[in-house]
Every structure is written in structure tokens, then in C-alpha cells.
Amino acid sequence: MQSIATMHGARAEISWELGCPSVTNDKQLTALSKQIASEVVGKEGVQELPAPMFGTEDFADFSEAVPSSMQFIGVHNPSFGEVFPLHHPRFKLDEDALIYGVRYFENIARTLCP
């Protein structure tokens, strides 16, 4: 990069920013979350990721400040056609799935804040 800048009569400087920290799931909250999700959608409707994900997520800042547990609420529906990822312009949300997310978070709140 320095060579390209010098060639054009400029100066280059690189500054690296590390971005978000890793999400750290609290073991007790994750177990509670799994239990409540199983009550809402049944054990067969709850999936655990087989390995850590290496994306970035600003939720990590919360998990550094307070005990936390991050989950994904499935809203894909293969009957809508090709399944696209969440931020893709052709992503289609199955709005019928939203009620399960609402019930899940309601039950989490009722359990943690009786």
C-alpha cells in the first residue's frame, strides 16, 4: 500500500479497529432459554448450533456488561421458494413464525421478572 501511495505522491497510513468482541453466552441463561424455547415450540423445534459462529454481532457488547444468552428465532419457510439469508434483498419472512418469538420472550420475561 505504501508503494501505491508514494507512486501517486501521497502518504498512506493504516489504522486497524477490532470491532465487536465475541458474544459470551451465560450457561445458566442458555439452559433456561433452551427450556423455555422447548416449552414454546417443542424439543424438536429447538436446534443447537453444532459449532461456534464466526460472524460479528453488536449483541456482544451486552454480553460483556451483563449475563446474556443469544438465540435465533427461525423465520424461514421453504414453501415460499428459495431460502435467502436474513439481510439478503430477497429474504422472505414467515410472519406466522413471529408469534413463537413473542411467546418465547414473554415466557423469558415472566420467568426472570416474576
Side-chain angles (χ1 to χ4, degrees), residues 9-81:
R11 187 174 64 86
E13 183 177 312
I14 298 175
S15 174
W16 295 99
E17 294 184 26
L18 295 177
C20 296
S22 297
V23 172
T24 303
N25 285 328
D26 178 86
K27 289 182 182 187
Q28 287 180 304
L29 289 176
T30 301
L32 174 65
S33 175
K34 185 176 178 181
Q35 172 197 330
I36 290 176
S38 295
E39 292 168 6
V40 172
V41 297
K43 286 186 180 187
E44 67 284 349
V46 177
Q47 299 177 7
E48 288 189 55
L49 295 176
M53 291 180 61
F54 293 102
T56 60
E57 177 56 55
D58 56 6
F59 180 81
D61 293 318
F62 292 109
S63 74
E64 282 194 333
V66 296
S68 306
S69 183
M70 182 177 169
Q71 288 72 43
F72 296 101
I73 306 293
V75 293
H76 288 287
N77 187 336
S79 70
F80 289 179

Side-chain angles (χ1 to χ4, degrees), residues 83-94:
V83 175
F84 293 93
L86 184 61
H87 298 290
H88 191 281
R90 293 179 58 196
F91 172 78
K92 291 183 182 174
L93 167 79
D94 183 354

